[in-house]
Amino acid sequence: MAANKAEQTLVEEWRGILALHARTQCELDRALNGHGLCASDFEVLDVLAGGVSADGGCGYRVQEISDRVHLSQSALSRLIGRLEKDGLVERAMCLEDRRGVRVVLTEKGRALHGEVRPVQRAVLARMLAE
């Protein structure tokens, strides 16, 4: 009986985490929509704005971004294509590995990230304080 209760508590905690994630994702999408972004778009911009890639190069390889934003390679490629079409990022071949592609923020992307970052952080602060 105690094992069942512990297991049920564990499942309820997990479902609570999933529900919080879903509510937060919806709130982020709603708040960022006015800026032409969704939560996943912002996550990619935030990763790109956040620093230097693992190998010290400018921009990030698509695989590095995928590891940090938890999207499949194909979903991320489509998202990057949209951001590129909007002039927020640029793709370039890796100089070190011609098979690889690096993604970098454009000036427009950096400006939009700076404008939207406080909105995203405010949503996170509000939702995670609950």
Side-chain angles (χ1 to χ4, degrees):
M1 186 71 118
N4 286 342
K5 188 162 181 87
E7 184 177 308
Q8 185 60 36
T9 299
L10 184 64
V11 169
E12 287 172 10
E13 284 182 42
W14 172 242
R15 289 184 181 149
I17 290 168
L18 291 175
L20 176 60
H21 177 268
R23 286 192 312 271
T24 303
Q25 194 78 10
C26 287
E27 285 297 313
L28 286 168
D29 284 339
R30 200 174 354 268
L32 299 174
N33 188 4
H35 299 276
L37 299 173
C38 68
S40 295
D41 296 340
F42 180 82
E43 284 300 314
V44 170
L45 297 180
D46 203 42
V47 166
L48 294 173
V52 180
S53 68
D55 63 7
C58 88
Y60 285 84
R61 291 175 182 242
V62 174
Q63 182 59 49
E64 288 178 296
I65 299 168
S66 177
D67 292 344
R68 297 187 65 191
V69 298
H70 309 292
L71 292 173
S72 70
Q73 196 86 20
S74 61
L76 180 59
S77 290
R78 287 190 303 274
L79 188 151
I80 290 170
R82 282 195 325 273
L83 295 176
E84 187 175 35
K85 182 179 172 195
D86 293 341
L88 302 175
V89 302
E90 292 177 340
R91 288 189 254 201
M93 298 301 290
C94 290
L95 296 176
E96 315 81 39
D97 177 2
R98 304 295 268 161
R99 296 168 296 168
V101 174
R102 286 201 180 276
V103 181
V104 297
L105 276 179
T106 62
E107 286 304 313
K108 180 179 177 183
R110 192 166 299 285
L112 182 60
H113 175 265
E115 175 185 326
V116 175
R117 185 175 182 266
V119 174
Q120 189 257 9
R121 298 304 198 260
V123 170
L124 290 181
R126 181 171 42 84
M127 296 302 293
L128 298 178
E130 292 179 0

